[in-house]
């Protein structure tokens, strides 16, 4: 039997590798980012509401951070949100300490 469809030479199926999981739909990923960004913006103007929004954004971000593995697609937004929420909390603390002096 000489079937041309059975020819495996040069079809690059072995080079494709296994499919990558898509973590862009992870719960808490996008809301965590937007709440962290809003908390950072609010930290400049209103420190008390900013700390509440940043902590809520941090909880959403940590929820997504625990689910998404290292080097997975969608982890960059989670790391950016983590940096924004930590930066907002640090900015509020610096503003509060600075207002005492």
């Amino acid at each position: 039997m000489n079937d041309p469809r059975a020819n495996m030479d040069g079809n690059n199926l072995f080079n494709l590798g296994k499919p990558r999981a898509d973590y862009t739909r992870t719960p808490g990923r996008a809301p965590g980012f937007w709440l962290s960004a809003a908390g950072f913006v609010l930290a400049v103007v209103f420190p008390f509401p900013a700390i509440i929004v940043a902590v809520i954004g941090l909880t959403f971000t940590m929820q997504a951070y625990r689910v998404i593995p290292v080097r997975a697609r969608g982890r960059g937004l989670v790391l950016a949100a983590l940096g924004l929420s930590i930066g907002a909390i640090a900015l509020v603390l610096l503003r509060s300490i600075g207002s005492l002096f």
Side-chain angles (χ1 to χ4, degrees):
M1 183 166 153
N2 192 4
D3 189 4
R5 293 175 293 174
N7 188 6
M8 296 296 285
D9 295 331
N11 63 4
N12 291 328
L13 287 176
F14 295 113
N15 294 334
L16 292 175
K18 65 179 184 178
R20 293 176 53 188
D22 186 21
Y23 289 97
T24 57
R25 300 281 185 216
T26 303
R29 182 178 165 265
F33 174 76
W34 288 114
L35 285 171
S36 299
F40 192 78
V41 170
L42 282 174
V44 177
V45 183
F46 303 111
F48 184 69
I51 196 85
I52 295 170
V53 171
V55 167
I56 293 171
L58 183 63
T59 57
F60 279 122
T61 302
M62 291 306 295
Q63 177 186 5
Y65 184 77
R66 286 187 208 109
V67 173
I68 301 175
V70 178
R71 296 202 184 270
R73 185 177 183 183
R75 182 139 171 140
L77 189 67
V78 172
L79 294 176
L82 191 62
L84 281 172
S85 59
I86 290 173
I89 292 170
L91 185 62
V92 168
L93 290 176
L94 284 174
R95 284 192 61 188
S96 299
I97 292 171
S99 67
L100 294 175
F101 296 112

